[in-house]
Amino acid sequence: MDKSELQDKIGKRIIELRTQKGLSQSDLARACMKDRQSIEKIENGKVNPTAYTLYEIAQALSVNPSELLNI
């Protein structure tokens, strides 16, 4: 798996978890102190999020960070 494929899979996993929780991108962004565009870029696989950013997103989604990598 290459970098862009991994970014896409992580983004899709975040979308899946976010929608299961009934959150919009804006809701998630507010919960983890990011702007909506940052969340959009992560979900679309356009950026490579840091480990800490993934941790913050996991906290906002009330899941273990490993859930984001359960791809």
Side-chain angles (χ1 to χ4, degrees):
M1 176 179 328
D2 67 9
K3 181 179 173 180
S4 65
E5 187 179 356
L6 178 61
Q7 287 173 198
D8 286 342
K9 288 184 180 230
I10 290 171
K12 286 183 171 105
R13 181 69 177 143
I14 291 170
I15 292 168
E16 179 184 355
L17 293 168
R18 177 176 59 75
T19 55
Q20 285 175 4
K21 302 278 183 180
L23 299 173
S24 68
Q25 283 182 341
S26 295
D27 295 333
L28 179 57
R30 275 190 297 278
C32 60
M33 308 294 279
K34 305 282 182 211
D35 57 75
R36 190 200 56 77
Q37 292 84 359
S38 294
I39 298 299
E40 179 182 19
K41 288 176 185 174
I42 292 168
E43 288 185 348
N44 290 329
K46 303 292 183 201
V47 297
N48 187 17
T50 65
Y52 191 73
T53 297
L54 292 176
Y55 172 79
E56 290 176 311
I57 291 171
Q59 292 293 103
L61 291 170
S62 300
V63 299
N64 190 300
S66 65
E67 286 291 313
L68 299 182
L69 302 176
N70 188 14
I71 49 178

